[in-house]
Amino acid sequence: MACSGLRRVAHASTYLMRMVGSASRCRQRWASGTRPDASECTARGAAGGVVELLGQAYPRDDHTNLTRKVLSKVGRNLHNQRHHPLWLIKERVKEHFYKQYMGRFGTPLFSVYDNLPPVVTTWQNFDSLLIAADHPSRKKGDNYYLNRTHMLRAHTSAHQWDLVHSGLDSFLVVGDVYRRDQIDAQHYPVFHQLEAVRLFSRHELFAGVKDGESLQLFEQSSRSAHKQETHTMEAMKLVEFDLKQTLTRLVTHLFGDGLEIRWVDCYFPFTHPSFEMEINFHGEWLEVLGCGVMEQQLVNSAGAQEKIGWAFGLGLERLAMILYDIPDIRLFWSEDERFLKQFHVSDINQTVKFQPLSKYPAVINDISFWLPPENYTENDFYDLVRTIGGDLVEQVDLIDKFEHPKTHKTSHCYRITYRHMERTLTQQEVQGIHQAMQEAVVRVLGVEGRF
């Protein structure tokens, strides 16, 4: 759940990568300083092939754009690895909900689902959440598609409809999600979200309200900025109050007392009204999550017509980077014991402040090329850079754009910052990777090199 994620617009054309072994060979060559063969590190595949993932085969088509880099991350489930910082955040949220919200029989009100498979249908990821067929968030440039009907989930909200349809009223969903994006210390093609939903019956919502037996959940009126057309103002206000109170308690549990919070109006297709929560942390306002009153059309279609509810979603990496002072999102994928051992704590609520590993010097190389006449997007280039350079690539910046006055062709120049998180890179070993990148960008994206 993030406003910015729903506003992204792009178009993509990358190729399928099936063999994880080839990606491993690339990484081994990079580690040894040998230039990888670009053919091993770029996505190729004959038409009519399949994507093999988690024991299933998916026929590929013109939407298939899964890369080896991303494929190698499926199944890692960092949020379920004991003592990993993302696991710590997940467990702290779980513990809070288990202790704060109890059901009628003394059992936890919220059930937790943290091992749902990341392959979903496009219906689950979009249609079930009322995301229109022409909405920009469906673009190939923003998502990883196995084919036109299946994809790697772009948000944990993809499971919302199914769980409500199964009869659940209150639940948390935690999992890895996949989005094509820029390359910097804050963005990675795989990250982890925690989603929550709570539904209320008329009795549950108005039980503590004076003369609540006379109040109703639903009416037929007009939609406004403050409520949906089917909700009464009383019901909407109570749901919104419960949502904001629930989230205020949660962030207070995570960050401590005295936290300054503000709510910013936002838009999501599947909630209305919708909000982003921002916290004032060390003097800086930071967005930490998105939330809202669930669209009644979604709730009704899932079979809970007599109920009203709220939903929220947050990014585990976002919270962990703030709470633990982790400066680079790539660190979450590190297997360096100097990183991991810092989070081996006896109490999940113990204060942890990441002690930075020695920051090794960067190696910087530029790459420039003329764009093809059509079908080029920056996310295609970023995906290719991630596939060839892996986690050695710290950041990519577009530093120059130039249009030739006679040919009207456009040239892009990107500055690629390479930095190993565990040792010093040499220009010689980076040059091998960079040359493979130059070869691949010409062959895969159809650009004209200016190397």
Side-chain angles (χ1 to χ4, degrees):
M1 252 189 183
C3 285
S4 57
L6 290 165
R7 287 194 293 261
R8 294 188 197 134
V9 185
H11 172 75
S13 90
T14 55
Y15 298 85
L16 167 67
M17 301 189 178
R18 285 185 55 194
M19 300 302 292
V20 179
S22 295
S24 299
R25 289 194 294 275
C26 287
R27 287 192 293 273
Q28 291 165 4
R29 292 188 181 188
W30 299 334
S32 66
T34 306
R35 183 174 73 85
D37 177 10
S39 66
E40 289 184 3
C41 306
T42 56
R44 310 288 293 194
V50 296
V51 184
E52 295 175 0
L53 187 59
L54 301 177
Q56 298 291 323
Y58 300 89
R60 59 168 306 213
D61 57 27
D62 61 341
H63 256 55
T64 305
N65 66 352
L66 187 62
T67 67
R68 283 196 194 103
K69 171 72 174 176
V70 169
L71 188 62
S72 70
K73 304 298 185 185
V74 177
R76 289 284 300 276
N77 296 329
L78 300 183
H79 62 289
N80 288 336
Q81 293 182 18
R82 191 171 179 81
H83 296 300
H84 191 280
L86 300 183
W87 176 85
L88 286 178
I89 298 290
K90 181 196 75 171
E91 291 300 310
R92 292 185 68 186
V93 175
K94 274 175 55 179
E95 179 189 65
H96 173 75
F97 274 87
Y98 280 173
K99 288 182 176 179
Q100 288 288 321
Y101 306 98
M102 304 300 292
R104 287 181 297 172
F105 305 106
T107 56
L109 179 65
F110 286 82
S111 52
V112 178
Y113 299 86
D114 60 7
N115 202 28
L116 297 174
V119 177
V120 297
T121 65
T122 52
W123 187 90
Q124 289 173 299
N125 199 81
F126 299 118
D127 300 87
S128 73
L129 297 167
L130 311 179
I131 298 173
D134 60 351
H135 196 280
S137 66
R138 292 177 179 254
K139 297 280 188 175
K140 282 174 62 178
D142 286 343
N143 302 286
Y144 288 104
Y145 283 91
L146 284 77
N147 53 36
R148 281 188 171 270
T149 60
H150 290 82
M151 64 186 296
L152 294 176
R153 63 189 168 211
H155 42 206
T156 47
S157 307
H159 302 287
Q160 200 176 100
W161 189 95
D162 291 315
L163 292 173
V164 172
H165 188 64
S166 72
L168 294 173
D169 288 340
S170 305
F171 54 84
L172 304 177
V173 181
V174 193
D176 45 340
V177 299
Y178 300 78
R179 294 182 192 169
R180 305 178 77 207
D181 215 327
Q182 64 201 74
I183 301 177
D184 57 33
Q186 307 293 323
H187 295 88
Y188 203 78
V190 191
F191 58 103
H192 298 75
Q193 283 187 339
L194 185 148
E195 179 97 4
V197 164
R198 184 170 186 186
L199 300 179
F200 301 88
S201 66
R202 176 173 170 272
H203 171 74
E204 290 168 329
L205 189 62
F206 296 129
V209 179
K210 184 180 179 181
D211 299 325
E213 62 275 5
S214 64
L215 300 176
Q216 300 296 323
L217 295 179
F218 306 113
E219 67 179 11
Q220 286 302 320
S221 59
S222 58
R223 176 173 290 238
S224 71
H226 306 291
K227 64 180 278 304
Q228 297 173 39
E229 60 273 23
T230 57
H231 294 161
T232 65
M233 184 61 76
E234 295 85 359
M236 189 283 302
K237 286 296 184 184
L238 282 174
V239 172
E240 179 183 332
F241 176 80
D242 186 85
L243 168 63
K244 291 181 176 179
Q245 186 179 59
T246 298
L247 291 173
T248 299
R249 288 175 180 155
L250 174 60
V251 296
T252 299
H253 169 69
L254 294 174
F255 290 90
D257 294 327
L259 191 67
E260 190 178 358
I261 295 170
R262 69 184 183 190
W263 302 93
V264 180
D265 291 342
C266 191
Y267 166 77
F268 304 113
F270 34 89
T271 56
H272 181 75
S274 303
F275 314 97
E276 285 179 341
M277 172 194 266
E278 296 183 352
I279 61 171
N280 192 331
F281 191 68
H282 297 328
E284 183 180 0
W285 284 103
L286 303 172
E287 175 204 331
V288 291
L289 57 85
C291 62
V293 178
M294 294 177 69
E295 281 285 354
Q296 197 60 38
Q297 182 183 342
L298 188 163
V299 177
N300 291 350
S301 69
Q305 298 91 330
E306 302 304 315
K307 296 182 178 180
I308 185 175
W310 54 248
F312 75 80
L314 56 83
L316 295 184
E317 280 88 348
R318 176 71 166 160
L319 284 182
M321 293 177 83
I322 297 170
L323 277 168
Y324 303 141
D325 286 341
I326 297 174
D328 194 315
I329 197 170
R330 293 176 300 162
L331 282 165
F332 292 108
W333 297 91
S334 174
E335 297 180 358
D336 189 332
E337 278 300 311
R338 293 175 299 167
F339 172 75
L340 296 174
K341 71 181 181 181
Q342 297 188 40
F343 303 94
H344 280 251
V345 293
S346 56
D347 179 358
I348 60 173
N349 293 305
Q350 180 177 329
T351 300
V352 178
K353 289 299 177 186
F354 171 63
Q355 299 301 312
L357 311 179
S358 298
K359 189 159 187 178
Y360 296 94
V363 178
I364 297 174
N365 284 334
D366 293 348
I367 183 171
S368 59
F369 45 79
W370 297 105
L371 305 188
E374 57 184 12
N375 293 337
Y376 173 84
T377 67
E378 287 190 42
N379 278 350
D380 292 344
F381 175 65
Y382 295 147
D383 255 3
L384 194 61
V385 170
R386 289 190 191 277
T387 300
I388 304 283
D391 286 349
L392 297 183
V393 178
E394 178 179 87
Q395 186 156 330
V396 177
D397 296 301
L398 176 61
I399 61 172
D400 184 60
K401 292 177 68 173
F402 168 72
E403 182 176 331
H404 194 284
K406 293 183 179 179
T407 65
H408 299 292
K409 293 199 303 184
T410 300
S411 170
H412 279 189
C413 181
Y414 295 90
R415 177 150 295 163
I416 302 178
T417 302
Y418 299 87
R419 192 195 309 268
H420 203 295
M421 292 183 287
E422 299 167 14
R423 64 176 177 84
T424 299
L425 286 174
T426 66
Q427 179 64 49
Q428 182 180 2
E429 61 185 319
V430 168
Q431 186 58 40
I433 300 167
H434 200 72
Q435 187 172 338
M437 207 172 289
Q438 291 173 331
E439 295 171 4
V441 76
V442 171
R443 186 177 65 254
V444 176
L445 300 184
V447 304
E448 180 185 341
R450 300 182 66 190
F451 316 136

